[in-house]
Short mmCIF file of all heavy atoms in Angstrom, two decimals:
data_model
loop_
_atom_site.label_atom_id
_atom_site.label_comp_id
_atom_site.label_asym_id
_atom_site.label_seq_id
_atom_site.Cartn_x
_atom_site.Cartn_y
_atom_site.Cartn_z
N SER H 26 213.27 -67.42 46.86
CA SER H 26 214.34 -68.56 46.96
C SER H 26 213.77 -69.97 46.76
O SER H 26 214.62 -70.84 46.58
CB SER H 26 215.00 -68.47 48.28
OG SER H 26 214.11 -68.91 49.40
N ILE H 27 212.48 -70.21 46.78
CA ILE H 27 211.98 -71.55 46.66
C ILE H 27 211.64 -71.82 45.24
O ILE H 27 211.52 -71.03 44.38
CB ILE H 27 210.55 -71.72 47.58
CG1 ILE H 27 209.47 -70.66 47.09
CG2 ILE H 27 210.91 -71.56 48.97
CD1 ILE H 27 208.27 -70.83 47.87
N PRO H 28 211.64 -73.20 44.94
CA PRO H 28 211.38 -73.60 43.47
C PRO H 28 210.05 -73.01 42.84
O PRO H 28 209.22 -72.93 43.76
CB PRO H 28 211.29 -75.15 43.55
CG PRO H 28 212.01 -75.56 44.91
CD PRO H 28 211.89 -74.30 45.77
N LYS H 29 210.08 -72.70 41.72
CA LYS H 29 209.00 -72.13 41.03
C LYS H 29 207.94 -73.14 40.50
O LYS H 29 207.59 -73.24 39.30
CB LYS H 29 209.41 -71.27 39.87
CG LYS H 29 210.34 -70.06 40.23
CD LYS H 29 209.78 -69.16 41.37
CE LYS H 29 210.78 -68.11 41.69
NZ LYS H 29 211.36 -68.27 43.10
N THR H 30 207.48 -74.02 41.38
CA THR H 30 206.31 -74.86 41.04
C THR H 30 204.95 -74.03 41.14
O THR H 30 204.97 -72.96 41.67
CB THR H 30 206.25 -76.04 42.16
OG1 THR H 30 205.84 -75.47 43.34
CG2 THR H 30 207.53 -76.80 42.21
N LEU H 31 204.02 -74.72 40.51
CA LEU H 31 202.78 -73.99 40.46
C LEU H 31 202.24 -73.74 41.93
O LEU H 31 201.69 -72.64 42.16
CB LEU H 31 201.64 -74.84 39.63
CG LEU H 31 200.37 -74.22 39.46
CD1 LEU H 31 200.41 -72.85 38.86
CD2 LEU H 31 199.46 -75.16 38.82
N SER H 32 202.22 -74.67 42.77
CA SER H 32 201.85 -74.45 44.13
C SER H 32 202.51 -73.51 44.87
O SER H 32 202.15 -72.54 45.61
CB SER H 32 201.66 -75.76 44.86
OG SER H 32 202.87 -76.26 45.11
N ASN H 33 203.88 -73.42 44.75
CA ASN H 33 204.82 -72.50 45.42
C ASN H 33 204.42 -71.08 44.91
O ASN H 33 204.41 -70.13 45.73
CB ASN H 33 206.23 -72.79 45.16
CG ASN H 33 206.82 -73.86 46.10
OD1 ASN H 33 206.13 -74.36 47.02
ND2 ASN H 33 207.95 -74.36 45.82
N ILE H 34 204.13 -71.00 43.60
CA ILE H 34 203.86 -69.60 43.01
C ILE H 34 202.66 -69.10 43.63
O ILE H 34 202.50 -68.01 44.09
CB ILE H 34 203.83 -69.69 41.48
CG1 ILE H 34 205.34 -69.87 40.97
CG2 ILE H 34 203.16 -68.37 40.89
CD1 ILE H 34 205.29 -70.25 39.43
N GLU H 35 201.55 -69.95 43.64
CA GLU H 35 200.21 -69.48 44.12
C GLU H 35 200.32 -69.26 45.65
O GLU H 35 199.83 -68.28 46.10
CB GLU H 35 199.19 -70.54 43.65
CG GLU H 35 198.97 -70.60 42.37
CD GLU H 35 198.46 -69.17 41.65
OE1 GLU H 35 197.73 -68.49 42.29
OE2 GLU H 35 199.03 -68.95 40.63
N ASP H 36 200.84 -70.11 46.44
CA ASP H 36 201.01 -70.01 47.84
C ASP H 36 201.89 -68.87 48.20
O ASP H 36 201.62 -68.12 49.08
CB ASP H 36 201.55 -71.25 48.51
CG ASP H 36 200.58 -72.43 48.36
OD1 ASP H 36 199.37 -72.26 47.98
OD2 ASP H 36 201.01 -73.62 48.71
N GLY H 37 202.92 -68.71 47.37
CA GLY H 37 203.84 -67.50 47.57
C GLY H 37 203.15 -66.18 47.36
O GLY H 37 203.33 -65.22 48.12
N LYS H 38 202.21 -66.13 46.33
CA LYS H 38 201.49 -64.83 46.14
C LYS H 38 200.69 -64.61 47.39
O LYS H 38 200.49 -63.37 47.75
CB LYS H 38 200.55 -64.97 44.93
CG LYS H 38 201.33 -64.99 43.59
CD LYS H 38 200.26 -65.21 42.53
CE LYS H 38 201.03 -65.14 41.21
NZ LYS H 38 199.94 -65.45 40.07
N GLN H 39 199.99 -65.57 47.90
CA GLN H 39 199.09 -65.37 49.12
C GLN H 39 199.84 -64.95 50.21
O GLN H 39 199.48 -64.04 51.01
CB GLN H 39 198.28 -66.79 49.43
CG GLN H 39 197.35 -67.08 48.35
CD GLN H 39 196.20 -66.20 48.24
OE1 GLN H 39 195.86 -65.41 49.14
NE2 GLN H 39 195.51 -66.19 47.18
N LEU H 40 201.14 -65.56 50.40
CA LEU H 40 201.95 -65.18 51.49
C LEU H 40 202.40 -63.78 51.47
O LEU H 40 202.49 -62.94 52.31
CB LEU H 40 203.20 -66.01 51.56
CG LEU H 40 204.32 -65.67 52.63
CD1 LEU H 40 203.68 -65.75 54.10
CD2 LEU H 40 205.52 -66.62 52.51
N ILE H 41 202.82 -63.34 50.26
CA ILE H 41 203.26 -61.97 49.99
C ILE H 41 202.11 -61.01 50.36
O ILE H 41 202.38 -59.91 50.98
CB ILE H 41 203.74 -61.78 48.47
CG1 ILE H 41 205.02 -62.41 48.36
CG2 ILE H 41 203.72 -60.26 48.15
CD1 ILE H 41 205.55 -62.52 46.95
N ARG H 42 200.90 -61.30 49.97
CA ARG H 42 199.74 -60.40 50.17
C ARG H 42 199.45 -60.30 51.76
O ARG H 42 199.39 -59.22 52.30
CB ARG H 42 198.50 -60.89 49.49
CG ARG H 42 198.46 -60.59 47.95
CD ARG H 42 197.06 -61.07 47.52
NE ARG H 42 197.25 -61.00 46.15
CZ ARG H 42 197.29 -62.05 45.33
NH1 ARG H 42 197.30 -63.31 45.81
NH2 ARG H 42 197.36 -62.04 43.99
N ALA H 43 199.54 -61.50 52.37
CA ALA H 43 199.09 -61.54 53.88
C ALA H 43 200.21 -60.86 54.76
O ALA H 43 199.97 -60.05 55.52
CB ALA H 43 198.82 -62.95 54.33
N SER H 44 201.52 -61.10 54.31
CA SER H 44 202.68 -60.61 55.08
C SER H 44 202.73 -59.03 54.95
O SER H 44 202.98 -58.32 55.83
CB SER H 44 203.92 -61.28 54.80
OG SER H 44 204.29 -60.93 53.32
N GLY H 45 202.42 -58.56 53.71
CA GLY H 45 202.45 -57.07 53.49
C GLY H 45 201.37 -56.42 54.12
O GLY H 45 201.40 -55.33 54.68
N SER H 46 200.12 -57.14 54.20
CA SER H 46 198.99 -56.55 54.86
C SER H 46 199.05 -56.41 56.36
O SER H 46 198.39 -55.56 56.96
CB SER H 46 197.81 -57.36 54.48
OG SER H 46 196.62 -56.78 54.85
N VAL H 47 199.89 -57.27 57.08
CA VAL H 47 200.17 -57.11 58.42
C VAL H 47 200.66 -55.72 58.69
O VAL H 47 200.11 -55.02 59.60
CB VAL H 47 201.12 -58.24 58.94
CG1 VAL H 47 201.51 -57.92 60.39
CG2 VAL H 47 200.67 -59.49 58.77
N GLY H 48 201.74 -55.27 58.13
CA GLY H 48 202.31 -53.98 58.32
C GLY H 48 201.46 -52.84 57.78
O GLY H 48 201.35 -51.82 58.47
N ALA H 49 200.84 -53.01 56.69
CA ALA H 49 200.03 -52.06 56.06
C ALA H 49 198.86 -51.59 56.94
O ALA H 49 198.61 -50.45 57.19
CB ALA H 49 199.67 -52.32 54.66
N ASN H 50 198.33 -52.60 57.52
CA ASN H 50 197.07 -52.35 58.42
C ASN H 50 197.53 -51.75 59.73
O ASN H 50 196.83 -51.03 60.35
CB ASN H 50 196.24 -53.55 58.58
CG ASN H 50 195.35 -53.78 57.34
OD1 ASN H 50 194.35 -52.95 57.26
ND2 ASN H 50 195.58 -54.72 56.66
N TYR H 51 198.73 -52.28 60.12
CA TYR H 51 199.20 -51.65 61.51
C TYR H 51 199.61 -50.15 61.31
O TYR H 51 199.21 -49.26 62.09
CB TYR H 51 200.48 -52.34 62.02
CG TYR H 51 201.02 -51.84 63.22
CD1 TYR H 51 200.28 -52.05 64.47
CD2 TYR H 51 202.20 -51.01 63.25
CE1 TYR H 51 200.73 -51.41 65.66
CE2 TYR H 51 202.65 -50.51 64.32
CZ TYR H 51 201.90 -50.61 65.61
OH TYR H 51 202.36 -50.12 66.79
N ILE H 52 200.14 -49.79 60.09
CA ILE H 52 200.47 -48.36 59.81
C ILE H 52 199.19 -47.57 59.77
O ILE H 52 198.95 -46.52 60.21
CB ILE H 52 201.28 -48.30 58.53
CG1 ILE H 52 202.76 -48.74 58.80
CG2 ILE H 52 201.22 -46.82 58.08
CD1 ILE H 52 203.53 -48.96 57.54
N GLU H 53 198.14 -48.18 59.14
CA GLU H 53 196.85 -47.54 58.98
C GLU H 53 196.21 -47.33 60.40
O GLU H 53 195.57 -46.33 60.66
CB GLU H 53 195.94 -48.35 58.07
CG GLU H 53 196.24 -48.33 56.52
CD GLU H 53 195.91 -47.00 56.03
OE1 GLU H 53 194.81 -46.33 56.32
OE2 GLU H 53 196.70 -46.56 55.02
#
Side-chain angles (χ1 to χ4, degrees):
S26 72
I27 58 177
K29 304 299 179 247
T30 65
L31 181 59
S32 64
N33 281 349
I34 290 168
E35 293 303 316
D36 295 346
K38 285 179 185 179
Q39 294 291 343
L40 174 60
I41 286 170
R42 285 185 192 101
S44 66
S46 189
V47 174
N50 277 289
Y51 180 72
I52 289 168
E53 288 287 320

